[in-house]
Amino acid sequence: MPAKYFLTPSQQENIQLAIRESADKHLRERALMLLLMNDGKIYQEISIFLGYAYRSVA
């Protein structure tokens, strides 16, 4: 699992913009996973929160 706060503020802004503007559901979900990982959430917490299998998140 990556270290907490591994994204720079500009990377976070770009990911947030992609979440808001993308029409692709899978891209939005993967981007959200990145932001949650950046906040220090573990894979298991993210999989429960988003309703995905652990392996999909990992």
Side-chain angles (χ1 to χ4, degrees):
M1 170 130 194
K4 192 172 183 179
Y5 305 122
F6 60 91
L7 295 172
T8 65
S10 64
Q11 289 173 324
Q12 290 178 28
E13 289 176 21
N14 289 338
I15 292 173
Q16 290 171 350
L17 184 64
I19 290 172
R20 285 193 297 270
E21 294 183 352
S22 177
D24 183 10
K25 175 184 173 188
H26 296 291
L27 177 88
R28 290 191 313 263
E29 291 167 347
R30 295 289 181 174
L32 181 56
M33 286 180 203
L34 278 174
L35 290 176
L36 290 170
M37 287 177 201
N38 189 58
D39 285 340
K41 303 292 186 216
I42 60 173
Y43 294 151
Q44 185 176 12
E45 291 173 329
I46 296 170
S47 67
I48 292 169
F49 180 73
L50 296 177
Y52 283 110
Y54 178 88
R55 290 188 65 185
S56 297
V57 176

